[in-house]
Amino acid sequence: MADNSNTTMTRRCLQFITLALIPLLLLLNGCSKQGGDTIKIGEFASLTGKEATFGISSHEGTLMAIEEINAAGGVLGKKLELLTEDTQSKPGEPATVVNKLISRDGVVGILGEVVSSRSLEAAPICQQNKIPMVSPSSTNPKVTEVGDYIFRVCFIDPFQGTVMANFATKSLKATKVAVFTDVKSDYSKGLAKFFKEQFVKNGGQIVTELDFNGGDKDFKAQLTAIKGANPDGVFIPGYYTDAALIAIQAKQLGLNVPLFGGDGWESEKLTEIGKESVEGHYFSTHYSPEVGSEMSKQFVENYRKRWNGKNPDALAACGYDSAIVLIDAIKRAGTTDGPKVRDALAATKDFNAVTGIITINAQRDATKSAVILQVKDGKFKYLETVSP
Ligand code: PHE
Protein backbone atom coordinates (compact mmCIF):
# COMPACT_ATOMS: atom_id res chain seq x y z
CA MET A 1 0.00 0.00 0.00
CA ALA A 2 2.73 2.44 1.10
CA ASP A 3 4.83 1.41 -1.89
CA ASN A 4 1.93 2.05 -4.25
CA SER A 5 1.26 5.59 -3.08
CA ASN A 6 4.99 6.34 -3.29
CA THR A 7 5.01 5.27 -6.94
CA THR A 8 1.95 7.41 -7.65
CA MET A 9 3.61 10.40 -6.00
CA THR A 10 6.80 9.94 -8.00
CA ARG A 11 4.80 9.65 -11.20
CA ARG A 12 2.82 12.80 -10.43
CA CYS A 13 6.03 14.66 -9.60
CA LEU A 14 7.59 13.62 -12.90
CA GLN A 15 4.46 14.60 -14.81
CA PHE A 16 4.50 17.99 -13.13
CA ILE A 17 8.17 18.59 -13.91
CA THR A 18 7.73 17.57 -17.55
CA LEU A 19 4.69 19.84 -17.95
CA ALA A 20 6.57 22.71 -16.34
CA LEU A 21 9.59 22.15 -18.56
CA ILE A 22 7.71 22.26 -21.88
CA PRO A 23 6.93 26.01 -21.83
CA LEU A 24 10.43 26.70 -20.54
CA LEU A 25 11.99 24.80 -23.45
CA LEU A 26 9.68 26.52 -25.92
CA LEU A 27 10.66 29.87 -24.45
CA LEU A 28 14.37 29.10 -24.71
CA ASN A 29 13.96 27.94 -28.30
CA GLY A 30 12.07 31.14 -29.13
CA CYS A 31 14.83 33.20 -27.52
CA SER A 32 17.53 31.54 -29.54
CA LYS A 33 15.51 32.27 -32.69
CA GLN A 34 14.59 35.92 -32.13
CA GLY A 35 15.27 37.37 -28.76
CA GLY A 36 18.96 36.44 -28.50
CA ASP A 37 21.70 38.98 -28.12
CA THR A 38 22.56 39.08 -31.83
CA ILE A 39 20.53 39.67 -34.97
CA LYS A 40 21.05 36.73 -37.29
CA ILE A 41 21.40 37.35 -41.00
CA GLY A 42 21.61 34.38 -43.40
CA GLU A 43 23.70 34.27 -46.54
CA PHE A 44 23.75 31.59 -49.24
CA ALA A 45 26.56 31.68 -51.79
CA SER A 46 28.53 29.42 -54.13
CA LEU A 47 31.75 29.18 -52.13
CA THR A 48 32.81 26.05 -54.03
CA GLY A 49 32.08 24.48 -57.42
CA LYS A 50 32.03 25.93 -60.91
CA GLU A 51 30.97 29.46 -59.95
CA ALA A 52 33.05 29.58 -56.75
CA THR A 53 34.59 32.99 -57.41
CA PHE A 54 31.08 34.52 -57.52
CA GLY A 55 30.22 33.28 -54.05
CA ILE A 56 33.62 34.02 -52.55
CA SER A 57 33.74 37.63 -53.80
CA SER A 58 30.12 38.27 -52.90
CA HIS A 59 30.68 36.81 -49.42
CA GLU A 60 33.80 38.91 -48.83
CA GLY A 61 31.86 42.10 -49.61
CA THR A 62 28.90 40.99 -47.51
CA LEU A 63 30.99 40.01 -44.49
CA MET A 64 32.95 43.25 -44.64
CA ALA A 65 29.72 45.26 -44.52
CA ILE A 66 28.48 43.29 -41.50
CA GLU A 67 31.82 43.78 -39.72
CA GLU A 68 31.78 47.53 -40.38
CA ILE A 69 28.24 47.87 -39.05
CA ASN A 70 29.18 45.89 -35.94
CA ALA A 71 32.27 48.04 -35.39
CA ALA A 72 30.00 51.09 -35.51
CA GLY A 73 27.78 49.59 -32.78
CA GLY A 74 25.46 47.23 -34.68
CA VAL A 75 21.76 47.87 -35.21
CA LEU A 76 18.77 48.18 -32.83
CA GLY A 77 21.25 47.93 -29.95
CA LYS A 78 22.49 44.50 -31.06
CA LYS A 79 25.41 43.06 -32.97
CA LEU A 80 24.83 41.28 -36.26
CA GLU A 81 25.77 37.67 -36.85
CA LEU A 82 26.25 36.49 -40.44
CA LEU A 83 25.50 32.80 -41.02
CA THR A 84 26.88 31.72 -44.39
CA GLU A 85 25.95 28.53 -46.25
CA ASP A 86 27.65 27.12 -49.35
CA THR A 87 25.40 26.25 -52.32
CA GLN A 88 28.34 24.46 -54.01
CA SER A 89 27.24 25.93 -57.40
CA LYS A 90 24.66 23.10 -57.51
CA PRO A 91 20.89 22.95 -57.97
CA GLY A 92 19.12 21.49 -54.93
CA GLU A 93 21.49 23.05 -52.43
CA PRO A 94 19.87 26.53 -52.26
CA ALA A 95 16.56 25.06 -51.04
CA THR A 96 18.28 22.88 -48.45
CA VAL A 97 20.50 25.58 -46.98
CA VAL A 98 17.89 28.35 -46.99
CA ASN A 99 15.38 26.07 -45.23
CA LYS A 100 18.03 25.37 -42.63
CA LEU A 101 18.90 29.06 -42.19
CA ILE A 102 15.25 29.92 -41.63
CA SER A 103 13.95 26.95 -39.63
CA ARG A 104 16.98 25.94 -37.60
CA ASP A 105 18.99 29.12 -37.26
CA GLY A 106 16.12 31.61 -37.14
CA VAL A 107 17.66 34.26 -39.40
CA VAL A 108 15.61 37.43 -39.90
CA GLY A 109 16.76 38.14 -43.46
CA ILE A 110 18.55 36.33 -46.28
CA LEU A 111 21.27 37.62 -48.61
CA GLY A 112 21.92 35.76 -51.87
CA GLU A 113 22.38 34.24 -54.36
CA VAL A 114 24.47 35.56 -57.23
CA VAL A 115 23.28 33.08 -59.89
CA SER A 116 19.66 33.64 -60.93
CA SER A 117 18.67 29.95 -61.11
CA ARG A 118 19.79 29.49 -57.50
CA SER A 119 18.00 32.63 -56.29
CA LEU A 120 14.89 31.34 -58.05
CA GLU A 121 15.15 28.08 -56.14
CA ALA A 122 15.37 29.74 -52.72
CA ALA A 123 12.98 32.66 -53.23
CA PRO A 124 9.70 30.72 -52.74
CA ILE A 125 10.98 29.45 -49.36
CA CYS A 126 11.76 32.99 -48.16
CA GLN A 127 8.41 34.18 -49.51
CA GLN A 128 6.42 31.44 -47.70
CA ASN A 129 8.23 32.14 -44.42
CA LYS A 130 7.87 35.92 -44.77
CA ILE A 131 11.63 36.32 -44.47
CA PRO A 132 12.92 39.14 -46.71
CA MET A 133 15.51 38.02 -49.26
CA VAL A 134 17.88 40.44 -50.99
CA SER A 135 19.85 39.15 -53.96
CA PRO A 136 23.06 41.08 -54.51
CA SER A 137 23.39 40.40 -58.22
CA SER A 138 20.83 37.99 -59.74
CA THR A 139 19.63 39.81 -62.84
CA ASN A 140 16.90 37.57 -64.31
CA PRO A 141 13.53 39.38 -64.01
CA LYS A 142 11.74 36.26 -62.67
CA VAL A 143 13.67 36.37 -59.36
CA THR A 144 11.76 39.25 -57.75
CA GLU A 145 8.53 38.20 -59.48
CA VAL A 146 8.39 35.26 -57.04
CA GLY A 147 6.80 37.53 -54.45
CA ASP A 148 6.77 40.69 -52.37
CA TYR A 149 9.48 39.50 -49.94
CA ILE A 150 12.06 39.17 -52.71
CA PHE A 151 14.34 42.10 -53.57
CA ARG A 152 17.57 42.79 -55.41
CA VAL A 153 20.09 45.65 -55.36
CA CYS A 154 21.13 45.32 -59.02
CA PHE A 155 19.68 46.06 -62.47
CA ILE A 156 17.84 43.39 -64.46
CA ASP A 157 18.59 41.70 -67.79
CA PRO A 158 16.12 43.52 -70.05
CA PHE A 159 18.40 46.49 -69.34
CA GLN A 160 21.68 44.57 -69.52
CA GLY A 161 20.64 42.90 -72.81
CA THR A 162 19.76 46.30 -74.27
CA VAL A 163 23.10 47.74 -73.15
CA MET A 164 25.07 45.00 -74.92
CA ALA A 165 22.90 45.10 -78.06
CA ASN A 166 23.47 48.85 -78.38
CA PHE A 167 27.17 48.35 -77.71
CA ALA A 168 27.33 45.75 -80.49
CA THR A 169 25.52 48.04 -82.91
CA LYS A 170 27.18 51.35 -82.08
CA SER A 171 30.65 50.58 -80.77
CA LEU A 172 31.44 47.29 -82.52
CA LYS A 173 29.48 48.29 -85.66
CA ALA A 174 28.23 44.71 -85.80
CA THR A 175 25.27 43.95 -88.05
CA LYS A 176 25.35 40.13 -88.03
CA VAL A 177 25.67 38.48 -84.64
CA ALA A 178 25.56 34.86 -83.48
CA VAL A 179 24.13 34.05 -80.03
CA PHE A 180 25.47 31.13 -77.98
CA THR A 181 23.27 30.33 -74.96
CA ASP A 182 23.65 28.15 -71.85
CA VAL A 183 20.27 26.39 -71.78
CA LYS A 184 20.81 25.22 -68.21
CA SER A 185 20.78 28.78 -66.91
CA ASP A 186 17.76 31.08 -66.49
CA TYR A 187 20.17 34.00 -66.60
CA SER A 188 21.65 32.97 -69.94
CA LYS A 189 18.31 32.25 -71.61
CA GLY A 190 16.85 35.56 -70.42
CA LEU A 191 19.85 37.67 -71.37
CA ALA A 192 20.02 36.05 -74.83
CA LYS A 193 16.36 36.88 -75.43
CA PHE A 194 16.63 40.53 -74.31
CA PHE A 195 19.82 41.02 -76.32
CA LYS A 196 18.21 39.63 -79.49
CA GLU A 197 15.10 41.81 -79.15
CA GLN A 198 17.13 45.02 -78.98
CA PHE A 199 19.72 44.01 -81.59
CA VAL A 200 16.96 43.27 -84.11
CA LYS A 201 15.29 46.59 -83.22
CA ASN A 202 18.61 48.25 -84.01
CA GLY A 203 18.36 46.76 -87.51
CA GLY A 204 20.84 43.97 -86.78
CA GLN A 205 20.47 40.35 -87.83
CA ILE A 206 20.88 37.25 -85.65
CA VAL A 207 22.64 34.94 -88.13
CA THR A 208 22.54 31.84 -85.96
CA GLU A 209 21.64 30.70 -82.46
CA LEU A 210 23.28 27.76 -80.72
CA ASP A 211 23.05 26.16 -77.28
CA PHE A 212 25.37 24.63 -74.75
CA ASN A 213 24.98 23.21 -71.24
CA GLY A 214 26.87 25.00 -68.46
CA GLY A 215 29.82 22.79 -67.48
CA ASP A 216 30.37 21.41 -71.02
CA LYS A 217 34.01 21.07 -72.06
CA ASP A 218 33.78 20.75 -75.84
CA PHE A 219 32.11 23.54 -77.79
CA LYS A 220 33.74 22.83 -81.16
CA ALA A 221 30.68 21.53 -83.03
CA GLN A 222 28.62 24.64 -82.21
CA LEU A 223 31.56 26.98 -82.82
CA THR A 224 32.13 25.42 -86.24
CA ALA A 225 28.48 26.08 -87.10
CA ILE A 226 28.81 29.64 -85.79
CA LYS A 227 31.90 30.21 -87.93
CA GLY A 228 29.99 28.92 -90.95
CA ALA A 229 27.31 31.58 -90.43
CA ASN A 230 29.99 34.24 -90.80
CA PRO A 231 28.95 36.62 -88.00
CA ASP A 232 30.83 39.79 -87.14
CA GLY A 233 30.47 39.14 -83.42
CA VAL A 234 29.29 36.42 -81.00
CA PHE A 235 27.18 37.15 -77.92
CA ILE A 236 27.82 34.59 -75.17
CA PRO A 237 25.59 35.20 -72.14
CA GLY A 238 27.26 32.56 -69.96
CA TYR A 239 29.39 32.23 -66.84
CA TYR A 240 33.17 32.65 -66.76
CA THR A 241 34.42 29.04 -66.96
CA ASP A 242 32.31 28.29 -70.03
CA ALA A 243 33.03 31.68 -71.62
CA ALA A 244 36.80 31.17 -71.22
CA LEU A 245 36.72 27.67 -72.75
CA ILE A 246 34.52 28.93 -75.60
CA ALA A 247 37.01 31.75 -76.31
CA ILE A 248 39.93 29.28 -76.38
CA GLN A 249 38.16 26.93 -78.80
CA ALA A 250 36.88 29.80 -80.98
CA LYS A 251 40.44 30.99 -81.41
CA GLN A 252 41.63 27.45 -82.24
CA LEU A 253 38.97 27.24 -84.94
CA GLY A 254 39.98 30.59 -86.41
CA LEU A 255 36.77 32.34 -85.38
CA ASN A 256 38.42 35.72 -84.93
CA VAL A 257 35.54 38.11 -84.28
CA PRO A 258 34.73 40.04 -81.10
CA LEU A 259 33.13 37.92 -78.39
CA PHE A 260 31.00 39.63 -75.77
CA GLY A 261 28.87 38.73 -72.81
CA GLY A 262 27.27 40.02 -69.61
CA ASP A 263 28.15 40.16 -65.93
CA GLY A 264 28.53 36.36 -65.83
CA TRP A 265 31.99 36.75 -67.35
CA GLU A 266 33.29 38.62 -64.37
CA SER A 267 35.90 36.56 -62.58
CA GLU A 268 39.69 36.55 -62.39
CA LYS A 269 39.31 32.96 -63.65
CA LEU A 270 38.14 34.27 -67.03
CA THR A 271 41.67 35.47 -67.81
CA GLU A 272 43.39 32.73 -65.80
CA ILE A 273 41.71 30.06 -67.93
CA GLY A 274 41.25 31.98 -71.18
CA LYS A 275 44.64 33.76 -71.25
CA GLU A 276 45.33 35.37 -74.64
CA SER A 277 42.12 33.87 -76.08
CA VAL A 278 39.96 36.28 -74.05
CA GLU A 279 42.11 39.33 -74.84
CA GLY A 280 40.23 42.19 -76.44
CA HIS A 281 36.76 40.77 -75.74
CA TYR A 282 34.00 42.65 -73.87
CA PHE A 283 31.39 42.30 -71.16
CA SER A 284 28.94 44.40 -69.20
CA THR A 285 28.76 44.40 -65.41
CA HIS A 286 27.60 46.32 -62.32
CA TYR A 287 30.67 48.13 -61.14
CA SER A 288 34.27 48.99 -61.82
CA PRO A 289 36.67 50.05 -59.08
CA GLU A 290 38.14 52.45 -61.67
CA VAL A 291 35.11 54.74 -61.54
CA GLY A 292 32.73 55.76 -58.84
CA SER A 293 31.97 57.89 -55.85
CA GLU A 294 33.94 58.70 -52.71
CA MET A 295 32.10 55.82 -51.07
CA SER A 296 33.33 53.47 -53.80
CA LYS A 297 36.93 54.64 -53.34
CA GLN A 298 36.68 54.07 -49.59
CA PHE A 299 35.22 50.63 -50.24
CA VAL A 300 38.12 49.67 -52.53
CA GLU A 301 40.65 50.79 -49.91
CA ASN A 302 38.92 48.98 -47.03
CA TYR A 303 38.41 45.84 -49.10
CA ARG A 304 42.08 45.65 -50.05
CA LYS A 305 43.02 45.99 -46.38
CA ARG A 306 40.49 43.42 -45.22
CA TRP A 307 41.23 40.83 -47.92
CA ASN A 308 45.03 40.88 -48.20
CA GLY A 309 45.45 43.28 -51.09
CA LYS A 310 42.77 41.69 -53.28
CA ASN A 311 40.90 44.13 -55.55
CA PRO A 312 37.11 44.07 -55.28
CA ASP A 313 35.05 43.06 -58.31
CA ALA A 314 31.40 43.83 -59.04
CA LEU A 315 30.30 40.80 -57.04
CA ALA A 316 32.06 42.04 -53.92
CA ALA A 317 30.53 45.50 -54.34
CA CYS A 318 27.03 44.08 -54.90
CA GLY A 319 27.44 41.75 -51.89
CA TYR A 320 28.42 44.72 -49.74
CA ASP A 321 25.43 46.73 -50.99
CA SER A 322 22.96 43.89 -50.38
CA ALA A 323 23.99 43.83 -46.71
CA ILE A 324 23.89 47.59 -46.11
CA VAL A 325 20.50 47.89 -47.82
CA LEU A 326 18.99 45.10 -45.67
CA ILE A 327 20.46 46.46 -42.43
CA ASP A 328 19.30 49.98 -43.27
CA ALA A 329 15.77 48.59 -43.70
CA ILE A 330 15.95 46.80 -40.31
CA LYS A 331 17.06 50.09 -38.75
CA ARG A 332 14.23 52.08 -40.33
CA ALA A 333 11.71 49.35 -39.44
CA GLY A 334 12.91 49.50 -35.82
CA THR A 335 12.32 45.75 -35.58
CA THR A 336 13.42 42.48 -37.19
CA ASP A 337 9.80 41.49 -37.78
CA GLY A 338 9.62 40.11 -41.38
CA PRO A 339 6.59 42.07 -42.69
CA LYS A 340 7.89 45.36 -41.26
CA VAL A 341 11.40 44.85 -42.65
CA ARG A 342 9.81 43.98 -45.99
CA ASP A 343 7.90 47.26 -46.00
CA ALA A 344 11.06 49.19 -45.11
CA LEU A 345 13.01 47.46 -47.89
CA ALA A 346 10.27 48.35 -50.39
CA ALA A 347 10.58 51.99 -49.27
CA THR A 348 14.36 52.17 -49.92
CA LYS A 349 14.96 55.45 -51.70
CA ASP A 350 18.09 57.34 -52.85
CA PHE A 351 20.25 55.11 -50.70
CA ASN A 352 23.96 55.73 -51.09
CA ALA A 353 25.70 52.48 -51.96
CA VAL A 354 29.03 51.41 -53.45
CA THR A 355 27.57 50.47 -56.85
CA GLY A 356 25.47 53.64 -57.08
CA ILE A 357 22.38 55.28 -55.65
CA ILE A 358 19.76 52.64 -54.89
CA THR A 359 16.02 53.16 -55.12
CA ILE A 360 13.90 50.02 -54.95
CA ASN A 361 11.14 50.24 -57.58
CA ALA A 362 7.65 48.74 -57.58
CA GLN A 363 9.04 45.45 -58.93
CA ARG A 364 11.55 45.36 -56.01
CA ASP A 365 14.50 45.83 -58.37
CA ALA A 366 17.11 48.59 -58.38
CA THR A 367 17.46 50.89 -61.37
CA LYS A 368 21.16 51.42 -61.91
CA SER A 369 23.83 52.02 -64.54
CA ALA A 370 25.91 49.30 -66.16
CA VAL A 371 29.59 49.49 -67.05
CA ILE A 372 31.25 47.92 -70.09
CA LEU A 373 34.71 46.44 -69.61
CA GLN A 374 37.27 45.08 -72.04
CA VAL A 375 39.86 42.40 -71.33
CA LYS A 376 43.22 44.11 -71.75
CA ASP A 377 46.60 42.61 -70.74
CA GLY A 378 44.86 40.05 -68.55
CA LYS A 379 42.90 42.75 -66.68
CA PHE A 380 39.46 44.33 -67.03
CA LYS A 381 39.67 47.79 -68.48
CA TYR A 382 36.80 50.22 -67.95
CA LEU A 383 35.32 51.49 -71.24
CA GLU A 384 32.03 53.24 -70.52
CA THR A 385 29.06 53.67 -68.22
CA VAL A 386 25.55 53.22 -69.59
CA SER A 387 22.68 54.76 -67.67
CA PRO A 388 19.12 53.41 -67.86
N1 PHE B 1 23.67 38.21 -63.04
C1 PHE B 1 24.09 36.83 -62.96
C2 PHE B 1 22.85 35.97 -62.81
O1 PHE B 1 21.81 36.46 -62.61
C3 PHE B 1 25.07 36.59 -61.84
C4 PHE B 1 26.28 37.48 -61.79
C5 PHE B 1 26.23 38.74 -61.21
C6 PHE B 1 27.48 37.07 -62.29
C7 PHE B 1 27.36 39.57 -61.16
C8 PHE B 1 28.60 37.88 -62.24
C9 PHE B 1 28.55 39.16 -61.71
O2 PHE B 1 22.89 34.78 -62.87
Side-chain angles (χ1 to χ4, degrees):
M1 207 43 200
D3 266 350
N4 246 349
S5 73
N6 260 345
T7 324
T8 317
M9 277 253 295
T10 318
R11 206 182 293 138
R12 288 223 175 107
C13 258
L14 278 176
Q15 266 170 0
F16 177 76
I17 291 170
T18 320
L19 284 177
L21 271 179
I22 289 172
L24 188 68
L25 285 175
L26 284 177
L27 195 74
L28 281 177
N29 186 41
C31 275
S32 76
K33 277 195 173 168
Q34 295 141 17
D37 44 4
T38 60
I39 292 177
K40 291 183 181 172
I41 306 292
E43 182 196 18
F44 66 122
S46 54
L47 302 174
T48 56
K50 63 184 170 44
E51 284 96 40
T53 72
F54 288 171
I56 293 168
S57 286
S58 192
H59 169 67
E60 287 170 350
T62 305
L63 180 60
M64 197 175 97
I66 300 286
E67 288 173 350
E68 284 179 8
I69 295 166
N70 280 342
V75 66
L76 310 183
K78 289 184 183 178
K79 290 281 158 75
L80 300 165
E81 189 181 342
L82 183 69
L83 301 165
T84 307
E85 292 288 338
D86 182 9
T87 60
Q88 302 169 40
S89 305
K90 273 191 211 150
E93 288 302 316
T96 307
V97 298
V98 165
N99 263 318
K100 176 188 162 290
L101 284 169
I102 295 175
S103 314
R104 214 185 75 183
D105 302 327
V107 300
V108 300
I110 299 261
L111 302 171
E113 233 250 20
V114 169
V115 162
S116 289
S117 299
R118 292 197 281 272
S119 287
L120 276 165
E121 194 185 308
I125 300 165
C126 295
Q127 180 67 28
Q128 275 151 24
N129 286 282
K130 295 194 167 34
I131 297 291
M133 167 178 146
V134 182
S135 167
S137 46
S138 283
T139 47
N140 187 279
K142 289 186 289 183
V143 172
T144 49
E145 285 166 14
V146 168
D148 61 351
Y149 278 76
I150 317 300
F151 296 83
R152 77 181 107 214
V153 293
C154 58
F155 55 65
I156 55 173
D157 287 332
F159 172 65
Q160 183 167 218
T162 303
V163 166
M164 284 320 273
N166 292 342
F167 176 76
T169 305
K170 289 182 199 148
S171 302
L172 301 179
K173 308 262 180 275
T175 55
K176 297 180 296 164
V177 163
V179 178
F180 198 15
T181 307
D182 173 1
V183 287
K184 266 199 186 162
S185 148
D186 292 291
Y187 157 76
S188 191
K189 288 186 284 187
L191 190 52
K193 170 175 172 272
F194 302 121
F195 170 87
K196 284 186 284 182
E197 283 169 8
Q198 183 64 34
F199 190 67
V200 169
K201 255 195 220 158
N202 291 349
Q205 190 195 345
I206 305 295
V207 287
T208 186
E209 284 177 57
L210 283 126
D211 292 344
F212 66 95
N213 288 294
D216 281 353
K217 296 284 170 271
D218 186 352
F219 303 91
K220 292 224 169 85
Q222 299 98 310
L223 288 168
T224 305
I226 289 176
K227 193 181 172 202
N230 201 25
D232 38 33
V234 186
F235 184 55
I236 309 162
Y239 296 133
Y240 59 89
T241 312
D242 304 318
L245 293 177
I246 290 169
I248 293 172
Q249 294 172 25
K251 194 170 183 145
Q252 285 165 356
L253 291 171
L255 177 60
N256 292 317
V257 293
L259 309 180
F260 47 101
D263 53 353
W265 281 31
E266 180 154 7
S267 168
E268 72 231 8
K269 294 274 174 212
L270 183 85
T271 47
E272 239 176 84
I273 302 169
K275 298 204 177 64
E276 68 281 352
S277 302
V278 293
E279 273 296 307
H281 298 316
Y282 309 89
F283 64 95
S284 51
T285 189
H286 306 263
Y287 167 81
S288 162
E290 284 182 58
V291 284
S293 58
E294 265 316 304
M295 184 173 181
S296 158
K297 283 185 198 126
Q298 192 60 53
F299 167 75
V300 175
E301 204 182 305
N302 295 344
Y303 187 90
R304 281 197 190 124
K305 263 192 223 140
R306 175 64 180 86
W307 302 107
N308 309 315
K310 184 174 166 187
N311 282 320
D313 56 13
L315 295 127
C318 289
Y320 184 92
D321 285 352
S322 68
I324 61 173
V325 164
L326 175 63
I327 305 310
D328 176 68
I330 292 178
K331 198 159 131 198
R332 280 184 289 111
T335 165
T336 53
D337 183 42
K340 300 226 170 73
V341 175
R342 190 226 79 86
D343 291 349
L345 270 170
T348 303
K349 198 168 182 290
D350 296 333
F351 181 79
N352 233 334
V354 170
T355 56
I357 312 275
I358 295 178
T359 294
I360 298 293
N361 66 20
Q363 287 72 44
R364 294 169 300 284
D365 305 323
T367 310
K368 290 184 15 227
S369 309
V371 295
I372 299 177
L373 308 181
Q374 180 176 31
V375 186
K376 227 16 230 267
D377 304 320
K379 300 210 169 53
F380 300 149
K381 187 178 148 236
Y382 168 78
L383 291 187
E384 57 180 288
T385 300
V386 187
S387 299

